[in-house]
Amino acid sequence: SVANNLTLKNATTLTQASGSLSANELMLDSIYVLPAPLTTDIASLSVVNSGAVSIDEADGLQLNQIGTTGSFTVLAQGDITASSTEQRVAGGAFSLTTTGNILLNTPNQNYLSGPISLAGNTVEINNGVATEFASVNATSLLVNSTGNITQTGAITVPGSTTLSALGNITLTNAGNNFNNLNVTGASSVTITDMDRIDSGSITAGSATLNTATGIGAADAQNHFATNVNFLGINNTAGGV
């Protein structure tokens, strides 16, 4: 246990025999191999010039400066937040799982170019590059992307989903399950849903919604722009 900050630096391989690393801030600097997740009880995390990193955190966690070309994984038992003054740059798989919220919503601070997996309650992410989702499970989802939004795995959001992209939004996984869907800006939008989209609005150059059982309540289609194409089985307003 360290009262203030703990820096672990210049290790070819870093292992943890037992117990938990406890500190205000943990910095991993030039850690090249981390064979197993680090068990931690820390307030914030910084990673620079390192390989794959995996953290099992006892509480919530603030992500400060993150710089890794390997995978980055956090399992937390509280909110995962982000410093508004430091950047997070990750080229590998980026995975956050928590019992709380995931709030990486500061503009021009997140550059996550690898596949992103997110699981939490309220999930908000502002990404300064194109965004590729490997999986999302959230109560609500807010995404702003400086580039396309795509996916390789399913997105499940029983609450509200709001998406914005400087590019196209292509979410066509058959396992997607949205409820209230809103697109506030994109060049084109193509979205597939496993059952129905109950409500929402889309602002885009063009859009196609492909659902299995319809678009919400009787007047729900009227809330979407006239350039939205509705596809799928029984896909009419009020379809069941």
Side-chain angles (χ1 to χ4, degrees), residues 35-103:
L38 290 179
T39 301
T40 64
D41 185 1
I42 57 179
S44 62
L45 174 68
S46 296
V47 178
V48 294
N49 303 319
S50 293
V53 169
S54 183
I55 300 291
D56 189 347
E57 167 57 33
D59 297 305
L61 183 63
Q62 176 176 289
L63 303 181
N64 293 336
Q65 179 183 2
I66 304 295
T68 174
T69 56
S71 61
F72 181 83
T73 303
V74 172
L75 173 63
Q77 304 303 317
D79 291 351
I80 299 176
T81 60
S83 165
S84 61
T85 59
E86 297 175 278
Q87 292 185 345
R88 287 146 295 279
V89 181
F94 188 89
S95 177
L96 305 179
T97 300
T98 180
T99 57
N101 304 316
I102 299 173
L103 305 175

Side-chain angles (χ1 to χ4, degrees), residues 157-181:
V157 186
S160 177
T161 298
T162 302
L163 308 173
S164 176
L166 293 180
N168 303 321
I169 297 174
T170 306
L171 302 175
T172 54
N173 187 286
N176 289 339
N177 195 354
F178 299 102
N179 183 13
N180 176 269
L181 175 65

Side-chain angles (χ1 to χ4, degrees), residues 62-152:
Q62 176 176 289
L63 303 181
N64 293 336
Q65 179 183 2
I66 304 295
T68 174
T69 56
S71 61
F72 181 83
T73 303
V74 172
L75 173 63
Q77 304 303 317
D79 291 351
I80 299 176
T81 60
S83 165
S84 61
T85 59
E86 297 175 278
Q87 292 185 345
R88 287 146 295 279
V89 181
F94 188 89
S95 177
L96 305 179
T97 300
T98 180
T99 57
N101 304 316
I102 299 173
L103 305 175
L104 276 65
N105 48 16
T106 305
N108 305 316
Q109 297 296 325
N110 304 303
Y111 298 88
L112 312 176
S113 57
I116 300 170
S117 299
L118 303 172
N121 294 326
T122 297
V123 173
E124 299 181 0
I125 182 169
N126 197 315
N127 198 16
V129 294
T131 301
E132 176 190 330
F133 287 116
S135 67
V136 177
N137 283 277
T139 303
S140 64
L141 177 65
L142 172 65
V143 181
N144 292 303
S145 179
T146 307
N148 298 334
I149 299 176
T150 59
Q151 68 181 147
T152 57

